[in-house]
Amino acid sequence: MGGFILTHPSMAGPSSAAEPLRHGKEALEAGKFDEAERWFRITRRDFPKNTEGTEALVQETFLLVSRELSSLKLASLWREGANWAESVEKSSASAQQKKAKAYESKALEAIGGIRDITPKLLGLSSVALSLNFNVGMEGLEADDIRNRLKKGEWVEEDDASRLERAEFLANYLGFLATIFDHLDDRMFNNPHEGKVRAPVLFNSLGTRLYIANQKKPTTEQSRLAKRCFDRVLELTSGTPYDKQRQEALDFLAKMDAKKSAAATPVKAAAKDWVCPVDGKTMDPNWKFCPFHGAKLGKKKK
């Protein structure tokens, strides 16, 4: 009796992992970034221990970081436009504020993806892959729309979509150039090829998680950011003055300082700690006024 034999991906031959990865790279070349991200997610889900799965994981990371960066930039642009429109037309300003909030939500969604994917990257023995792929770069120019939006003009949906694509492409290509250490004049040329600079990748992830944690602190984000910076220190242990190492050390110092400050008891509420000479509010952890030298104390009731 004839029929089909169904196999689980783990039972298939090594070449099976190449198929979804190829679909993802073809989508990148066509400029279909959402589709590419979906194929990369499928590849690394079904083939986590294959080389193709590792590449898919790294490629998905490039897209997530670029999506978070571009969404934050778009939120800022729409909010800037809303501030200008506020004095002209209240309804337009309100609509622009809604757009800004929508992009802030997209940024939060992307940082959630970064949180999910970072432990998988940290679990790999190496992410220093040699990559070679093409990127569809149609739709990179949108300066006219960006300028109109900044002036408070309302931007219709078609133009808003053009701007979103252009902003994503600008951040994506810039991030790839940083990862591969390409000069600016190579940013816009295919293929994008080179060896992934692991310290740069982990510093980038740590930075995104650190910044997100400033807005909405969570133990998970703080822990992951620290693990990323610690990984950079491991990767650059033989080069004490490496730029990436110094950046990681700076972030770790900030995190330690904030942790120490949080553990330091505050003498009084900030609004109650004043200079007796002019009555101005001072830092509650200071003992003397830096301007008059007078000993600080609580505000008299």
Side-chain angles (χ1 to χ4, degrees), residues 100-122:
K101 288 179 180 178
Y103 282 114
E104 286 170 352
S105 295
K106 287 187 176 184
L108 285 174
E109 184 180 341
I111 204 69
I114 291 171
R115 277 197 306 269
D116 290 342
I117 214 169
T118 297
K120 296 178 175 63
L121 289 162
L122 287 165

Side-chain angles (χ1 to χ4, degrees), residues 284-296:
N285 290 303
W286 291 351
K287 290 184 178 180
F288 298 92
C289 173
F291 305 106
H292 303 101
K295 187 174 182 180
L296 302 178

Side-chain angles (χ1 to χ4, degrees), residues 181-198:
D181 196 21
H182 286 172
L183 298 175
D184 289 347
D185 59 353
R186 288 191 60 188
M187 276 177 59
F188 309 107
N189 297 326
N190 282 316
H192 293 269
E193 58 183 336
K195 190 173 184 179
V196 175
R197 296 194 296 158

Side-chain angles (χ1 to χ4, degrees), residues 125-140:
S125 58
S126 175
V127 296
L129 304 176
S130 293
L131 303 180
N132 186 308
F133 57 95
N134 293 324
V135 176
M137 291 179 274
E138 183 180 354
L140 186 59

